[in-house]
Amino acid sequence: MTEKYISYKYAFSLVELSIVLVILGLLVGGVLTGRSLIHAAELRAVSTEYTRYFTAVQSFRDKYFALPGDMNNAASFWGAADGSTGNTAGCATTAGTGTQTCNGNGNGVIENAASSSNEAFRFWQQLANVGLISGNYVGITQGTTNSSATATNSPASKLANGYWYSSNLPTQSANGNFFDGTYGNYLALGGLVTNQWPYVSLFIPEELWNIDTKLDDGKPATGKIVAAAVSLSLAFCTNASGTNAQISANMAADYNLTVTVERCILFARNLY
């Protein structure tokens, strides 16, 4: 008698497939939750960074009677980057070694380029020289314009792609990217742009509203902390009109909390 062999093919049961799908769902959910928690931590760090830099500038001014970068006798303390007295035009384009820096013009304005310095970037260098902030900064522009910010001359934020920048902005009027008002010496946080200051939008309106509410008045057009939208109109970040001539009529604007993509830059104006 010939024996017949029957082969059986085994497959996952519905119960086993369900278990696999549940595990995959938990893994995906865990990854998404992890990313959300990381981003939330980055946003909380922004408030800490802002306070740290503001306090550092106040401490520097209390000790040296000048603003970092604008200080007209900085080379007397830390040496001149170009080996001179720190007052030459060549000093503005020389990184120097160690703590070597350049003198500002002492006019109380953090300028992109004074005649013998590059104040917006000597600003960070001199704060680091005295240990008020961490890091090492070259103190000069890193591109084809006076405001070219990179990781070598500006402090990075814990918020991904975010970099801090300090300079001076004149009074704004009917500008679709800024609300009307005086800005003076400001501290801004945006994303890097080649050969420019960091003006890529970093914040969803709700995120900047949250920071603004914790540190200021929660309004994008008033107070110290305001919204800007340099690469886009303010209409994308707030409920203000997008046309330049009407921005001045929107000083009571609110953040546009229905927008769920990055459309805002943080600006802390008239800060020091």
Side-chain angles (χ1 to χ4, degrees):
M1 179 182 292
T2 304
E3 295 184 1
K4 294 183 179 179
Y5 295 93
I6 300 174
S7 62
Y8 294 92
K9 294 183 178 180
Y10 294 93
F12 290 112
S13 68
L14 290 177
V15 173
E16 290 170 326
L17 285 173
S18 297
I19 293 173
V20 171
L21 291 175
V22 169
I23 293 172
L24 289 175
L26 290 173
L27 289 173
V28 171
V31 169
L32 294 177
T33 300
R35 289 179 179 175
S36 178
L37 291 173
I38 291 171
H39 187 62
E42 291 175 345
L43 289 170
R44 287 194 298 272
V46 169
S47 298
T48 302
E49 291 166 355
Y50 164 82
T51 302
R52 180 188 306 136
Y53 296 142
F54 173 74
T55 303
V57 174
Q58 301 307 315
S59 298
F60 186 100
R61 184 161 56 182
D62 288 345
K63 183 174 183 178
Y64 296 102
F65 310 104
L67 289 173
D70 183 58
M71 184 178 179
N72 61 11
N73 61 341
S76 299
F77 289 89
W78 304 296
D82 65 345
S84 69
T85 60
N87 295 301
T88 68
C91 197
T93 58
T94 306
T97 58
T99 61
Q100 291 177 336
T101 188
C102 295
N103 295 331
N105 58 17
N107 66 353
V109 177
I110 306 299
E111 297 163 310
N112 284 334
S115 59
S116 60
S117 185
N118 198 319
E119 295 184 357
F121 297 121
R122 298 295 180 189
F123 176 91
W124 300 112
Q125 183 191 51
Q126 291 171 17
L127 285 175
N129 277 353
V130 293
L132 289 171
I133 64 173
S134 60
N136 295 292
Y137 306 100
V138 295
I140 60 174
T141 186
Q142 294 287 273
T144 59
T145 69
N146 292 327
S147 56
S148 298
T150 69
T152 64
N153 61 14
S154 302
S157 171
K158 288 187 177 179
L159 183 60
N161 195 45
Y163 283 81
W164 291 93
Y165 184 78
S166 186
S167 189
N168 185 276
L169 193 66
T171 298
Q172 297 296 297
S173 178
N175 184 334
N177 305 126
F178 297 94
F179 284 104
D180 284 5
T182 59
Y183 282 74
N185 293 326
Y186 67 82
L187 184 63
L189 177 59
L192 286 183
V193 181
T194 302
N195 294 322
Q196 293 290 342
W197 64 277
Y199 67 68
V200 170
S201 296
L202 278 183
F203 298 93
I204 293 171
E206 182 180 350
E207 294 171 345
L208 189 52
W209 165 83
N210 187 278
I211 293 170
D212 194 344
T213 300
K214 289 177 180 177
L215 297 176
D216 197 30
D217 62 358
K219 292 288 186 178
T222 60
K224 287 286 185 184
I225 294 180
V226 296
V230 177
S231 56
L232 294 166
S233 165
L234 275 167
F236 291 92
C237 176
T238 74
N239 60 11
S241 169
T243 58
N244 293 357
Q246 293 176 316
I247 291 297
S248 60
N250 283 284
M251 299 307 291
D254 291 308
Y255 288 98
N256 190 347
L257 301 181
T258 63
V259 174
T260 58
V261 292
E262 292 83 359
R263 290 292 182 262
C264 309
I265 304 168
L266 183 155
F267 248 77
R269 60 185 182 178
N270 300 315
L271 204 56
Y272 30 75

